């Protein structure tokens, strides 16, 4: 990302409006995420089927080669629920932000997660100032202590990076103004370091989604567990570790 103070850009409103218009138009989103990276000392990898809708509805299913999904996270008008079908456990009583942080190290609520995936960076990007930098970079300061960086990609100016409190985001492989590859890094000193790349495919925008997709009934026989049980234990997106000398994979130490 550009460094230095840059040069004030007074007439940026039309350029910014054109760059964020594609992501602002996204009301609903269906997609497949291929995720790889790391959070803390855990390596993450997996495919996730997702559905998102304004203002803050979300459904994520961790796909497995066969059998039941690795997890189902649902948030919407009803309280968020995280199902772990293979263990027949369910986590309730936690926010969508806390559940996403436990799964992938990203402390984002459903609305922020949708904004991140579409390139808007924040749910309602409102520009307050802009600066130009070398190499054709334009930094647009947003309300809420965030900055969205624009650059020419082909014939259009698109979002290529962003900073918001605790996160750095890079966007690439744009299709009709929306990114198809996203890298997210956490910067908060008091949280586990996370560096994830998500590749988006099978993207459907503004399709009608049944509201029942964002309400999850807990199946009979699922044991309720607190969210604390997810911390310090291998998660559903975590790659299996190679066996130790004793023949067993090491466990991730619990957070202090």
């Amino acid at each position: 990302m550009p460094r230095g103070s840059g040069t004030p850009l007074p007439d940026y409103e039309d350029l910014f409006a054109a760059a964020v218009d594609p992501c602002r138009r996204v009301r609903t989103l269906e997609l497949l995420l291929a995720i790889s990276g790391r959070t803390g000392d855990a390596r993450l990898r997996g495919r996730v089927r997702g559905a998102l809708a304004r203002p803050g509805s979300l459904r994520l299913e961790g796909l497995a080669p066969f059998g039941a999904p690795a997890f189902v996270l649902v948030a919407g008008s009803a309280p968020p629920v995280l199902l772990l079908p293979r263990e027949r456990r369910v986590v309730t009583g936690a926010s969508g932000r806390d559940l996403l942080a436990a799964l992938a190290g990203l402390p984002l609520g459903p609305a922020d997660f949708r904004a991140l995936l579409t390139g808007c960076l924040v749910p309602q990007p409102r520009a307050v100032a802009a600066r130009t930098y070398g190499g054709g970079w334009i930094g647009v300061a947003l309300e809420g202590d965030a900055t969205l960086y624009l650059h020419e990609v082909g014939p259009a100016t698109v979002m290529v990076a962003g900073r918001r409190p605790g996160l750095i985001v890079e966007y690439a492989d744009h299709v009709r103004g929306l990114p198809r590859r996203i890298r997210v890094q956490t910067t908060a000193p008091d949280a586990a370091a996370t560096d994830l790349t998500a590749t988006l495919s099978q993207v459907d925008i503004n399709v009608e989604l049944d509201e029942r997709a964002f309400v999850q009934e807990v199946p009979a026989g699922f044991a309720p567990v607190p969210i604390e049980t997810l911390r310090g234990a291998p998660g559903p997106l975590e790659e299996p570790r190679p066996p130790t000398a004793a023949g067993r994979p090491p466990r991730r130490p619990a957070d202090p």
Side-chain angles (χ1 to χ4, degrees):
M1 293 188 188
R3 298 181 181 274
S5 58
T7 302
L9 179 64
D11 300 322
Y12 63 88
E13 290 86 355
D14 291 344
L15 183 68
F16 173 74
V20 300
D21 182 66
C23 64
R24 278 177 167 168
R25 290 176 178 270
V26 177
R27 296 179 290 100
T28 67
L29 183 66
E30 281 190 309
L31 73 168
L32 182 67
L33 295 168
I35 296 173
S36 64
R38 177 182 293 276
T39 180
D41 65 345
R43 297 187 66 86
L44 304 185
R45 184 177 297 275
R47 296 188 309 142
V48 178
R49 175 71 65 186
L52 303 96
R54 288 184 178 179
S57 296
L58 172 149
R59 183 183 186 92
L60 299 176
E61 296 185 5
L63 303 182
F66 54 87
F71 68 87
V72 179
L73 171 58
V74 178
S77 57
V81 172
L82 174 63
L83 294 182
L84 301 171
R86 298 190 166 201
E87 304 167 24
R88 299 190 66 79
R89 299 193 300 172
V90 58
V91 181
T92 59
S95 67
R97 174 188 175 94
D98 288 342
L99 291 173
L100 275 170
L103 281 174
L106 298 178
L108 295 168
D112 290 288
F113 188 62
R114 174 182 50 79
L116 193 80
L117 291 179
T118 57
C120 268
L121 188 65
V122 296
Q124 298 292 336
R126 297 186 177 92
V128 296
R131 290 178 175 271
T132 59
Y133 300 86
W137 286 79
I138 300 173
V140 181
L142 308 179
E143 291 181 356
D145 194 24
T147 302
L148 193 59
Y149 293 96
L150 312 180
H151 203 283
E152 286 188 5
V153 175
T157 299
V158 298
M159 306 83 66
V160 293
R163 296 180 185 271
R164 52 178 289 167
L167 292 179
I168 295 175
V169 187
E170 300 173 31
Y171 295 114
D173 299 344
H174 294 74
V175 177
R176 293 187 291 276
L178 298 177
R180 292 295 188 267
R181 182 162 54 87
I182 302 167
R183 183 184 180 189
V184 186
Q185 297 170 280
T186 58
T187 59
D190 56 346
T194 298
D195 187 345
L196 294 180
T197 297
T199 301
L200 285 59
S201 62
Q202 301 181 27
V203 177
D204 288 321
I205 298 170
N206 293 341
V207 295
E208 293 300 321
L209 298 178
D210 193 326
E211 284 295 326
R212 290 174 294 181
F214 306 113
V215 178
Q216 180 64 54
E217 294 185 3
V218 179
F222 274 56
V225 295
I227 191 173
E228 288 74 18
T229 62
L230 302 180
R231 302 183 177 121
L237 284 173
E238 187 169 341
E239 275 191 326
R241 300 191 180 190
T244 63
R248 291 179 296 180
R251 291 181 65 83
R252 176 153 50 101
D255 295 334

